[in-house]
Amino acid sequence: MVPALAVADALRADGAHVVFVGGERAEREMVPAAGYELRTIGVEGLSRTNPLRAARAAVRAAGAAVAARRILRDVRPDAVLGAGGYVAGPVGLAAVLGRVPMVLAEADSHLGLTNRLLARWARRVCLAFPVAGRTGDRYLVTGRAVPPPATDRVAARARFGLGNEETCVLVFGGSLGARTINDAAVEALPGAPFRVLHACGVRDYAALRERLGPEPPANYDLREYITPFGEALLASDLCVARAGSSIFEIAAHGRPAILLPYPHATGDHQTANARWMERAGAAVVVPDSELTPERLRSEIEALLADRERLAAMGRASAAVGRPDAAQRIAEEVLAAAR
């Protein structure tokens, strides 16, 4: 939803009217909160391990395609943007059948199933990373769309109560959080000689709060989530995170990172994402299987002790960031519409 909303904002700024089609997950709250109309369809992910669930998902997808065609007939869009994921499948199919120009956006380092199936009918496929075998006029590397980066570091640090001379480590792992990162951080970082801003997600918050005790350590700021998140990135000196498509938000703010790829991501794309940042000199990669509280603390302290290296990593991060990705994707959508 984050890249889709970023592109929607760029489209709206260019005068376009944007309508979302989605399911019953995060978009149910995020889309209306951002000021957009949401039309819903009933669809679920295709299980690759459970035949019964896969069959149920296929039946629901067929019904969702019918509903999507009905929505497109009503809205009559000039173009459709597929932002990846299983919700985009029925809408993309409806666009193909209705001969509506379509642009696809891929946020990861490999083409997801929905985008692979729809790519042949797309006017343009906007890639976050170069993808092997995906070349030619149809494919364009734009980077992953992110919200405009925060720019007022003084205000951002004031929001989190950070002093001018304090060092801040930002820990996060997505909307649900990342349990191995959460556990390691809460074990290793309370009482450390630096401030910790930890967005742990809704799922683990209560248990982690209890582990910190009735009077949490003065250096540790535990939160379920942070909105707008760009201010947390800007206020920090170092990020500890998974290596999903949020790495582009890290890079847009020029932040060095310790990346811990989720080992069960489809196609192991998070490892590919992390290694891309590592090759650029912007990140240190620690496999999830090697993560311990002691390892996390030592990696953080080693980087914070070497300010020259930390600054070089920040510059490398900014160099690979593509803060204009949302605008570039929006331009492709408008070109398709014309």
Side-chain angles (χ1 to χ4, degrees):
M1 286 308 304
V2 171
L5 286 168
V7 176
D9 288 346
L11 287 167
R12 184 164 58 183
D14 282 336
H17 176 66
V18 180
V19 176
F20 275 79
V21 181
E24 300 290 336
R25 302 183 69 185
E27 57 265 40
R28 173 63 83 175
E29 295 184 2
M30 294 176 69
V31 170
Y36 296 103
E37 178 186 356
L38 173 66
R39 306 285 187 99
T40 59
I41 57 176
V43 65
E44 62 183 270
L46 184 65
S47 174
R48 305 186 187 193
T49 58
N50 187 316
L52 291 178
R53 289 182 60 190
R56 183 182 68 188
V59 170
R60 294 197 74 188
V66 173
R69 288 206 71 183
R70 193 177 303 122
I71 291 171
L72 263 59
R73 288 194 191 103
D74 183 40
V75 175
R76 301 181 66 185
D78 296 294
V80 165
L81 171 66
Y86 55 82
V87 173
V91 184
L93 176 60
V96 172
L97 295 174
R99 299 181 180 275
V100 180
M102 178 174 59
V103 173
L104 302 178
E106 178 57 63
D108 289 313
S109 53
H110 77 295
L111 221 56
L113 176 61
T114 297
N115 282 344
R116 289 201 304 272
L117 294 174
L118 293 174
R120 71 182 66 182
W121 292 288
R123 299 291 181 92
R124 186 81 77 194
V125 182
C126 299
L127 303 174
F129 304 87
V131 177
R134 307 291 177 174
T135 58
D137 292 342
R138 189 185 306 274
Y139 296 92
L140 177 67
V141 179
T142 59
R144 180 216 191 227
V146 297
T151 57
D152 190 338
R153 180 169 163 87
V154 173
R157 288 178 68 85
R159 174 186 171 189
F160 301 109
L162 297 168
N164 292 335
E165 303 302 319
E166 289 184 298
T167 297
C168 177
V169 175
L170 174 64
V171 181
F172 65 98
S175 59
L176 282 177
R179 184 153 288 162
T180 53
I181 297 177
N182 286 343
D183 288 342
V186 167
E187 182 71 23
L189 304 182
F194 48 81
R195 294 284 297 276
V196 178
L197 180 57
H198 184 176
C200 66
V202 176
R203 178 189 58 197
D204 295 341
Y205 177 78
L208 295 174
R209 174 60 67 189
E210 185 175 350
R211 286 174 61 179
L212 288 173
E215 295 185 11
N219 77 310
Y220 211 99
D221 186 350
L222 180 72
R223 305 185 182 207
E224 291 183 357
Y225 53 86
I226 299 169
T227 304
F229 193 65
E231 292 185 350
L233 289 163
L234 186 63
S236 69
D237 299 287
L238 173 66
C239 297
V240 175
R242 286 298 193 204
S245 48
S246 61
I247 62 171
F248 280 99
E249 290 186 80
I250 294 173
H253 289 84
R255 290 294 166 262
I258 296 172
L259 298 177
L260 305 109
Y262 178 57
H264 306 298
T266 304
D268 198 23
H269 69 265
Q270 287 207 10
T271 296
N273 295 354
R275 295 301 180 191
W276 177 77
M277 287 282 281
E278 183 182 52
R279 288 193 298 272
V284 170
V285 179
V286 177
D288 193 78
S289 60
E290 298 178 14
L291 178 62
T292 64
E294 295 76 19
R295 175 75 181 274
L296 179 62
R297 178 78 174 251
S298 67
E299 293 285 356
I300 291 173
E301 290 183 340
L303 287 176
L304 295 182
D306 189 345
R307 291 290 169 167
E308 185 174 333
R309 182 188 180 193
L310 200 68
M313 289 174 65
R315 291 191 295 271
S317 180
V320 297
R322 292 177 179 262
D324 64 340
Q327 184 60 46
R328 293 191 66 192
I329 296 170
E331 290 169 359
E332 293 298 326
V333 175
L334 294 173
R338 287 192 292 268

